[in-house]
Each structure stands twice: as C-alpha cells, then as structure tokens.
Amino acid sequence: MNESLAVRRDARRFDFRLRGVVGVWLRHYTAFKGGWMIEMTGILIEPVFILAAVAFGIGELVGDVETRGDGVKYAVFVAPGIVVGNAMWHALFECSWGAFRRLQTNRIYDSILAAPVSMRELALGEISWGATRALMTTAAVLAFASVTGLVESPWAVGILGIGILTGFMFGGFGLIAAAIAPSTHMLTLVFTMVGTPLFFFSGTFFPISTLPRWIEPIAWALPLTHPVRIARALATGDLYLSLLWSLLYLVVAGLLFYPIATHLLRRRLLI
Amino acid sequence: MVRAAGLIKKFGAFTAVDGISFEVRRGETFGMLGPNGAGKTSTLRMMSGLSPVTAGELEIDGIDATANPRSVRDVIGVVSQHDGLDPDISVRDNLTVYGFYFGLDRDTARRRADEVLDFFALRARGDDSVDDLSGGMRRRLSIARAFVSRPRLVILDEPTTGLDPASRNRVWEQLAVLKNSGVTVVMSTHYMEEAAILCDRLVIMDEGRVLGAGTPDQLIQDLAGAEAAQVRPEEGRREDVQRQLKDGGHDVSDIGAVFVVHGSDGQRADLSTISGARVTYRAANLEDVFLTLTGRGLRDE
Ligand SMILES: Nc1ncnc2c1ncn2[C@@H]1O[C@H](COP(=O)(O)OP(=O)(O)OP(=O)(O)O)[C@@H](O)[C@H]1O
Ligand SMILES: [Mg+2]
C-alpha cells in the first residue's frame, strides 16, 4: 500500500515530457516527407502565384503606399502581408482541418493518447507542426520576395521568426476550432468566416487607415494585423518602438490559445 | 497484474460501469464477455488511462491507475475497438512512429518496427499504405503496433468484431503468439467461441456489472451444466410447450425459435415428459452461461 501512495504523490508533480511533443512532431514530419513534392505546391507555388499577381500585376496599376511618412512601392508594401497571411493559412489549415481529420475521421488521437503522450504534449506537437509549416512557407515565399527585389532590408530575416509566432498563434486557434467542431461542415466556417476576412482586412493588401474610421479599431484588434505590421517593418527596415506591442499581442495570444486548445481537447476526448 | 475493486464509470447521470471487481494474474489471458453496452469498452478505457475513473480502485502492474494513468500507459499496449491506424503514413511507419510516442530514438524505433513486422508476419506489407490493407490485416497491424513498446500488459477491445471467419482465425493465431510470448492480455469480446478458445479466465458482464467469473469450463460447469437442451415446439404448440416447461420447474430461456433448458448441478434436464416439441441435447457453452445469468442471448441487439 505504501508503494501506491508513493506513486500517487508522484502524479502531482508537473508532468511534461518533451519527448511526447517530439514524437507527435515526428509523426507529422514522417507524413510530410512521404508527400513533400505535392506539399511544395502549397508551400511555395500557390503563394508565389498570388504574390506575383498582386505585386507585379496589380502593383503596376497602383501608386506608392503611404507608410509612416515615406511612400513605398505597392509591391514592396504587399509582399510581407502576403508572406505572413500565407503563414496563417498553413498553420490554420493544418491545425483545424488536419487536426480534425486526425481527431475525428481517423481517430489517431486516441492511439497517440493510448501511448504515454499527454494531451498537453499532443496539443503542443500539433501546434508546433503548424508553426513548422508556417515557417516552411514563410521561408519559401520570403526567398522568392527577396530574389525579386521586394525586400529592402536585411532585417527581413526576422520575418522567419514572425512566421513561426504567427504559426503558433493560428495553430492554437485552429486546434481550438478542431476541438469544438462537431463536423467538417462547421470547420469550413473557420476558413470562410475567420481565415478569409483576416487575410484581406489585416493591413495585408492595403493600410488599415484606408478603412472607414469606425472599422479601424476592429482591424487593430485582429490577430493577423500585428504580425503583418512587424513583418512589413522588418522588410523595409523601418523599425519603431510600438512594434513591441504587436509582438506582445502575438506571443500572448499564442500562449493563451494553446492551453485553451488543450483544455477543450481533454473535454472532448478524455471522457 | 490488474486489480479492480468497486470500479465505477459514470457518464453524467448514466452509470456505464457499476462497481465491478476483478483480478488479472500475470501472464494470463483474461476475457470480458458481454453484449453491446455491457461496459467493456468503458472498463478497458479506464484501464488504458484514457478515461478518468469515476470511483473505485484500479491498480495495474503495481501502479495506482486512478491517480497515474500515464505511468500505466508506459507499460501497456492498447488495441482499441476501431483500429486508429494512421492512413497518412506507411504500414512500417505506423510502427516506427508509435515507437516515437514512447520516446524511442529513430534507430531503435526502426529496428523495433522491423522486428514486430517479422514477428507478426506483416513484413511483406511494410511499405504499403494502411488503406490498402484488408480489415483483418488492419486489425493485425493494430495488434502489432501495441507490441512495439514491449508492453507487460496488452489491452484489446473486441479484436475480431466485424471480421470474416478466415480473418478471425488469423487474428486468433496472432493472439496465440502474443499469449505464448508471456505477455498478460486483457480482452473484451461478445463472441463466446472466442472467449472459450483464448481466455484462461474471464468475467461475464452485463449492464455494467460482473455476473460471473472463472475459467470458461468452470463457468459452464457451474452455471449451465454439462449439457443444454434445445426444445423446438411443433407448429402451433409454442404456448403449450412453454407451459409444460414452466410447470416442470425447469430453468428455461426463451430465445425466439427455441427454448433452451439448462440442467441443475451439472446434470442434463430430464425432458422426457414434454410433448409437442423436439428435444435435442448439446454440450453447454458460454452462451448458455450468459442465458442462465440474464435470461437473454449474448447477441440480443
Ligand atoms: N461517452 C459516453 N457518453 C455517454 N454514454 C456512454 C459513453 N460511452 C459509453 N456510454 C454508454 O455506456 C454504456 C457502456 O458502453 P461501453 O461502450 O462500455 O459498452 P461495451 O460493452 O463496450 O459495448 P459494445 O459491445 O457495444 O462495444 C453504453 O450504454 C453506452 O451507451
Ligand atoms: Mg465496446
């Protein structure tokens, strides 16, 4: 009896194993490796089409854009927006649609949780894979943008970090959606009602100041606004102190979504 | 190996497992036989650390499973009712990745995956997609997967439900291999043949309770007698025959087309005086045990 008391006390310790997270991440990496050629179309080719069309097509029709005093060419303005917006899509898709398939359709979570992986670790594995995908696509599109002269400052390397943080935040958000969605139908709403408006109205394609006065504060509250703002500053090398607020927003939202997702998954699966 | 005492599982106000107690010895194959909704899955999920214990005691390999489900999952292998295989990766990777979940490094996980593929004669399908496997093959793979971590206890939930007889035989072979490897097995089933063939000991469950426990032979001997009689009424004599059986004080179960009559004290029931029915005797089985315990068939659905 003494023995089982000892075990009981043991359980109260904060129990987190990195290897659980790594295991889940490696599962995704294994699946990714199996189909990487096709994956590249989503990671590189599709976003490059969008960027090229908007920057070099529409960009030719549009004059310079006012940003903090100086005007920049529209192509230069829009590139960081598309890079980061695309990072959002990848993390969001992976952690909502992809996660829902694993959770509900294929019941893979049940198998993972039957191994000694905790929900906290599983959720972090999912979100970090979302962030990894966001990083991959950020790197790919950013490389294209710099080769085509859309990046003006070496600070732009920092956009890779913003890509990861964006992936972490939207990965967490997507996982929350997956955890509460009753069906893939409902999950579609995440793309149509969240992804799409964020992609277009977060200062990605035009400055927020262009929006009607009353919408402006709403646009500032949107999560994609902040990484876009930081990425744009990094791409143009025009850094200023208030960007730290955006960085704080990004980090705090990510740190908030993750435990909420864990909690909701527990409620759904560990019954 | 496993000790459950007064184990309870509630879903809201509904009690799925209603205070069951049992013990599983090291190295044996232990069965839970019961119809749909008996509480088998609920019990096995609690044992697997996938479902919180509502009340009662549950100890697995010396670990208090109610407080420390993860430590339990370190030492067990789980095969769930649906296979839960990963369709995005190959058969071999399903095993390798499962090793990753247990913290094996890449080389060890790969080596272990190949060992397990060999052990369960699945090597030839290693590079295939899981979706290309037959139902029986999928089930065997999910059993193999539970074996990657060298568990001391393997928990199987209805390992052959939904399989055709040939696949079922293959799975039984595989389970026999498991058993001979010395691992302790706890499995649920609603097939009495399966329980009789594979299990050293078993509990019979219904509506969240344990109705009987013992070796298959012992249960049959004690509860159903050596032989059961099937009484098939002639055309239009059903009610008459039923009355005769009742008046004779027999232990009768009505399973539709026929009445099943069990003897007492291991003796066959004397039905020589029954008229208007054809009486045949056959060896009693676990189905009869369930019948005498509940008055219903195992597969009343
Ligand atoms: N998550 C749940 N919420 C509510 N009720 C549940 C839940 N899971 C199971 N039950 C109920 O608990 C009872 C026992 O279910 P359980 O799945 O343990 O039975 P079982 O013996 O495994 O049956 P089967 O042979 O159909 O697999 C059933 O009445 C079932 O409807
Ligand atoms: Mg079940």
Side-chain angles (χ1 to χ4, degrees):
Chain A
M1 220 47 235
N2 264 338
E3 206 176 328
S4 67
L5 274 179
V7 174
R8 200 183 270 275
R9 211 173 303 122
D10 217 45
R12 297 233 177 85
R13 279 201 330 242
F14 183 70
D15 182 21
F16 183 89
R17 296 181 191 167
L18 196 59
R19 68 181 208 205
V21 183
V22 173
V24 174
W25 191 92
L26 282 172
R27 180 263 163 216
H28 295 319
Y29 175 69
T30 307
F32 175 81
K33 227 175 29 177
W36 71 271
M37 297 246 282
I38 294 170
E39 296 275 13
M40 278 325 270
T41 61
I43 286 172
L44 176 67
I45 302 187
E46 192 201 0
V48 158
F49 280 155
I50 298 175
L51 178 55
V54 175
F56 305 123
I58 299 174
E60 288 303 308
L61 308 174
V62 181
D64 286 4
V65 181
E66 287 286 311
T67 58
R68 293 188 5 107
D70 322 331
V72 297
K73 274 178 48 189
Y74 182 70
V76 172
F77 172 86
V78 83
I82 290 181
V83 168
V84 174
N86 190 56
M88 169 194 79
W89 274 125
H90 275 257
L92 195 58
F93 188 79
E94 182 65 37
C95 291
S96 57
W97 192 269
F100 189 82
R101 260 187 75 236
R102 296 188 276 276
L103 165 86
Q104 190 68 39
T105 317
N106 299 324
R107 307 253 195 159
I108 293 174
Y109 283 4
D110 285 358
S111 322
I112 297 176
L113 294 167
V117 176
S118 72
M119 193 62 90
R120 203 184 272 130
E121 295 153 13
L122 170 59
L124 189 55
E126 293 288 295
I127 296 174
S128 19
W129 180 251
T132 305
R133 289 194 64 116
L135 173 64
M136 287 193 276
T137 193
T138 300
V141 187
L142 188 62
F144 174 80
S146 25
V147 174
T148 49
L150 299 179
V151 169
E152 297 184 331
S153 159
W155 282 108
V157 178
I159 295 177
L160 295 176
I162 299 304
I164 294 177
L165 291 177
T166 305
F168 196 84
M169 175 172 67
F170 283 104
F173 182 83
L175 200 55
I176 290 174
I180 54 181
S183 67
T184 46
H185 276 304
M186 291 297 271
L187 215 50
T188 312
L189 288 179
V190 175
F191 305 114
T192 53
M193 299 310 289
V194 179
T196 303
L198 286 186
F199 188 61
F200 288 108
F201 295 100
S202 301
T204 25
F205 290 90
F206 50 86
I208 288 176
S209 55
T210 324
L211 291 165
R213 267 259 168 278
W214 63 273
I215 297 188
E216 240 186 89
I218 301 177
W220 277 107
L222 299 180
L224 188 60
T225 300
H226 299 278
V228 166
R229 184 168 176 246
I230 305 172
R232 184 160 293 136
L234 290 165
T236 54
D238 175 24
L239 300 170
Y240 43 97
L241 218 52
S242 76
L243 290 175
L244 288 177
W245 286 114
S246 289
L247 188 62
L248 190 68
Y249 181 112
L250 198 53
V251 171
V252 168
L255 290 179
L256 219 66
F257 289 158
Y258 164 43
I260 295 174
T262 306
H263 171 77
L264 292 171
L265 284 172
R266 273 202 196 111
R267 210 182 58 178
R268 176 159 185 161
L269 292 173
L270 299 185
I271 47 168
Chain B
M1 191 72 187
V2 181
R3 195 182 59 81
L7 194 58
I8 293 175
K9 179 74 204 181
K10 287 190 181 172
F11 296 106
F14 179 76
T15 306
V17 178
D18 196 4
I20 65 171
S21 304
F22 58 88
E23 235 168 279
V24 181
R25 298 174 196 145
R26 204 168 288 274
E28 78 178 347
T29 296
F30 185 85
M32 291 183 174
L33 180 65
N36 290 117
K40 305 182 295 293
T41 300
S42 303
T43 305
L44 295 179
R45 278 178 58 85
M46 284 192 281
M47 289 172 62
S48 316
L50 288 170
S51 170
V53 173
T54 307
E57 290 171 38
L58 182 60
E59 193 181 300
I60 293 176
D61 200 26
I63 303 162
D64 177 359
T66 60
N68 219 342
R70 158 122 76 168
S71 303
V72 170
R73 287 182 282 149
D74 277 330
V75 298
I76 66 172
V78 178
V79 183
S80 65
Q81 200 164 350
H82 46 83
D83 297 313
L85 295 171
D86 197 330
D88 299 337
I89 54 181
S90 71
V91 166
R92 177 179 284 105
D93 283 342
N94 260 274
L95 303 177
T96 316
V97 161
Y98 217 67
F100 294 156
Y101 299 150
F102 280 84
L104 301 187
D105 62 65
R106 270 182 198 235
D107 288 341
T108 316
R110 289 211 182 106
R111 191 157 13 91
R112 188 63 191 147
D114 281 334
E115 275 170 25
V116 169
L117 282 175
D118 281 340
F119 193 62
F120 290 111
L122 286 162
R123 186 89 182 225
R125 305 303 299 266
D127 297 323
D128 290 358
S129 155
V130 168
D131 285 334
D132 294 339
L133 301 182
S134 68
M137 197 85 88
R138 289 173 64 89
R139 186 47 60 93
R140 279 162 56 208
L141 179 60
S142 69
I143 296 173
R145 186 178 62 177
F147 221 58
V148 167
S149 59
R150 300 180 193 280
R152 288 176 229 169
L153 169 69
V154 175
I155 293 175
L156 299 130
D157 198 2
E158 301 197 13
T160 64
T161 297
L163 300 184
D164 59 66
S167 307
R168 176 168 304 155
N169 278 326
R170 290 299 309 256
V171 170
W172 283 354
E173 269 171 43
Q174 189 165 347
L175 291 176
V177 173
L178 259 189
K179 192 171 161 161
N180 292 334
S181 75
V183 71
T184 310
V185 175
V186 175
M187 59 181 282
S188 76
T189 179
H190 53 213
Y191 297 118
M192 62 92 191
E193 320 91 278
E194 184 162 282
I197 291 174
L198 295 171
C199 298
D200 300 312
R201 287 189 319 120
L202 57 95
V203 286
I204 293 182
M205 288 182 69
D206 191 34
E207 294 176 346
R209 292 170 188 278
V210 168
L211 302 180
T215 67
D217 289 346
Q218 187 192 330
L219 279 167
I220 294 167
Q221 193 61 43
D222 293 355
L223 293 164
E227 281 181 288
Q230 294 201 136
V231 181
R232 186 181 298 278
E234 284 162 13
E235 195 67 35
R237 300 286 303 271
R238 197 182 144 80
E239 263 143 48
D240 175 28
V241 170
Q242 187 165 23
R243 194 169 334 103
Q244 291 179 52
L245 288 168
K246 200 170 156 235
D247 293 346
H250 294 292
D251 173 9
V252 183
S253 309
D254 178 357
I255 58 168
V258 295
F259 298 103
V260 178
V261 183
H262 299 107
S264 50
D265 309 326
Q267 302 299 310
R268 61 151 75 176
D270 180 8
L271 299 174
S272 53
T273 59
I274 303 289
S275 67
R278 194 158 56 85
V279 177
T280 46
Y281 288 92
R282 57 168 173 75
N285 57 35
L286 288 169
E287 184 98 33
D288 297 308
V289 175
F290 191 80
L291 273 173
T292 53
L293 289 172
T294 66
R296 293 185 287 117
L298 260 175
R299 259 157 288 173
D300 274 356
E301 272 159 31

